[in-house]
Amino acid sequence: MRILVFANTPAHVHLYRHAVDRLEEAGHDVLVLTREYACTTDLLEFFGLPYRRYGEHDVTSSSKSTLARELGGQIGSIVRETIRFRPDVVFGRGPYAAVAGTVARAPVVLVLDDEPGDFNHTVSRPFADCILSPRVTRRDLGDDHYTFDGFKECAYLHPEVFEPDRAVREYLGVGPDEPYALVRFNALDALHDAGLEGFTRNQRHDLIERLSEHATVFVSDEGGEMDLRDLPARPYDLHPALIHDAMAEASLLIADTGTMVTEAGLLGTPALRYRGTDDHEYGEFQELERVGLVEQFDAYDGVRDRGLELLADDDATGRWERRRREYVGDLANLTDLLVDVAETQGRLGELDRSSWAALQPSSR
């Protein structure tokens, strides 16, 4: 079987990487189509996944018109690569997967999370043969939409899949018991980020200075524009493939981006999300708040003060780890599900009993 997977962001690489490995081990031909964006191709190289580029994403502009023009120029490359590979099934999201599935006349499986019903969903939904999303998304996308008990991050952070590398402290240059905080600043340059604002420059500086009084601070700046030379912080400069190991050992993560907050919560690390101007209510964050793994804040002072409070609390990481053990182990192992869906070419009725039991029609 020939399986085409779209990985347009670093998060997509992690979502599919274990499934790609297992499908290749089972004798299937797999191709990952990607674009040059952030560390996406670095991750594909690190994990040894078979990929080809269809274009690149300009991080200097996040306007919808610019992103639409960019997509228009990438369609031709996607069509050529799809015709060359001749997939039997396509995995992805948005117009990318829709175009490939149409050209190949192959089933399209969309794996979605709880982003707003924007351009990506509007374009791709009519072309989907199967839509999978976390049960907490609270949306009904039709008869072909099925939900699972968990998060898309369960494909790579489920306890059955993820084993942290404790040597990451040595790589970071921190002691065995030295507390450290990870701060992630969003570039806000994706299509679904258009018009949103996160931490301001002054807030970034204040947050770093205050946190550094209690812990070593590492900054992951997605936009790559921060100058840390006069600030009490170190750049997070390990290979991006090690970020989950670093999060698992951290005492705290604060971010104005969603994916890393979800990841830290699922790893049992205290995780705080600053919403900035994003007023959309995401089902994933509401669920993780409910079980005490994530906290969200509308005001900057609130997220800063809560971060300082957690760093001063010696039992905070222990509480988060207990909550993780009680909650995350019972969620679906999404990699198992993705492999089974691929091998049935999106025909969910042919899934084995355990995979079928993990799914529920969204309209129910």
Side-chain angles (χ1 to χ4, degrees):
M1 188 185 304
R2 304 174 73 83
I3 302 156
L4 180 63
V5 175
F6 280 87
N8 295 327
T9 69
H12 297 163
V13 177
H14 291 298
L15 170 63
Y16 291 112
R17 63 184 175 90
H18 292 295
V20 169
D21 285 342
R22 285 178 48 182
L23 289 166
E24 286 194 308
E25 290 171 1
H28 302 295
D29 290 329
V30 186
L31 173 65
V32 178
L33 280 186
T34 189
R35 60 186 179 179
E36 200 69 52
Y37 170 63
C39 61
T40 305
T41 53
D42 291 335
L43 290 173
L44 290 167
E45 290 280 356
F46 184 92
F47 295 120
L49 302 186
Y51 75 94
R52 294 181 190 149
R53 298 181 185 87
Y54 65 80
E56 60 183 86
H57 174 50
D58 181 8
V59 299
T60 62
S61 175
S62 61
S63 71
K64 292 184 178 181
S65 61
T66 299
L67 294 169
R69 287 195 301 271
E70 184 178 273
L71 173 62
Q74 297 168 351
I75 293 298
S77 180
I78 291 173
V79 169
R80 288 191 297 273
E81 294 291 355
T82 301
I83 292 173
R84 180 188 306 172
F85 185 64
R86 297 178 289 110
D88 298 302
V89 62
V90 177
F91 280 77
R93 59 183 300 145
Y96 316 95
V99 167
T102 301
V103 169
R105 296 183 179 179
V108 174
V109 179
L110 304 182
V111 184
L112 308 178
D113 53 10
D114 191 29
E115 292 174 358
D118 59 11
F119 175 75
N120 276 324
H121 302 334
T122 302
V123 170
S124 58
R125 177 178 167 184
F127 299 90
D129 296 88
C130 170
I131 302 174
L132 304 178
S133 71
R135 195 161 296 164
V136 296
T137 55
R138 309 158 300 155
R139 290 181 299 161
D140 180 1
L141 298 178
D143 294 339
D144 298 316
H145 179 200
Y146 288 79
T147 64
F148 56 90
D149 189 13
F151 306 80
K152 72 179 191 305
E153 291 81 7
C154 289
Y156 53 97
L157 295 182
H158 192 281
E160 295 175 0
V161 176
F162 179 75
E163 182 67 34
D165 182 356
R166 303 298 180 185
V168 73
R169 284 186 167 271
E170 180 182 346
Y171 307 151
L172 288 170
V174 296
D177 300 314
E178 182 178 348
Y180 68 87
L182 282 171
V183 180
R184 171 69 164 179
F185 296 128
N186 200 341
L188 295 171
D189 57 6
L191 180 60
H192 57 266
D193 293 326
L196 297 182
E197 296 178 3
F199 289 108
T200 66
R201 180 180 181 277
N202 289 339
Q203 288 170 346
R204 292 182 178 197
H205 287 199
D206 180 64
L207 181 64
I208 290 169
E209 289 171 352
R210 296 293 299 277
L211 294 179
S212 69
E213 298 172 3
H214 302 271
T216 301
V217 177
F218 290 94
V219 174
S220 173
D221 177 27
E222 187 178 28
E225 299 175 351
M226 284 202 68
D227 185 351
L228 299 178
R229 286 177 296 182
D230 296 326
L231 292 171
R234 305 182 202 173
Y236 175 81
D237 55 6
L238 299 185
H239 193 283
L242 299 176
I243 186 62
H244 302 117
D245 303 295
M247 279 196 281
E249 283 290 299
S251 301
L252 174 71
L253 178 126
I254 296 181
D256 54 4
T257 180
T259 297
M260 285 185 64
V261 171
T262 301
E263 290 171 336
L266 292 174
L267 287 168
T269 297
L272 309 182
R273 175 178 177 247
Y274 175 52
R275 298 182 193 183
T277 59
D278 187 358
D279 59 1
H280 178 73
E281 292 294 338
Y282 298 86
E284 283 99 329
F285 294 131
Q286 290 182 329
E287 172 67 5
L288 290 171
E289 279 189 305
R290 182 187 70 81
V291 297
L293 290 173
V294 161
E295 298 178 16
Q296 299 188 86
F297 298 84
D298 294 320
Y300 166 68
D301 289 354
V303 69
R304 178 199 61 198
D305 293 347
R306 179 57 172 156
L308 296 173
E309 180 182 346
L310 288 171
L311 287 178
D313 183 349
D314 293 336
D315 190 45
T317 54
R319 290 198 309 274
W320 255 259
E321 181 55 38
R322 288 192 293 272
R323 293 167 187 167
R324 176 182 185 263
R325 287 198 302 269
E326 294 168 359
Y327 177 71
V328 180
D330 292 332
L331 301 179
N333 180 336
L334 184 55
T335 287
D336 287 347
L337 185 58
L338 291 175
V339 169
D340 288 348
V341 171
E343 293 186 326
T344 62
Q345 294 181 249
R347 295 188 289 267
L348 301 188
E350 299 179 13
L351 293 174
D352 65 31
R353 183 174 299 179
S354 62
S355 291
W356 180 248
L359 295 174
Q360 178 176 314
S362 67
S363 57
R364 182 172 299 171

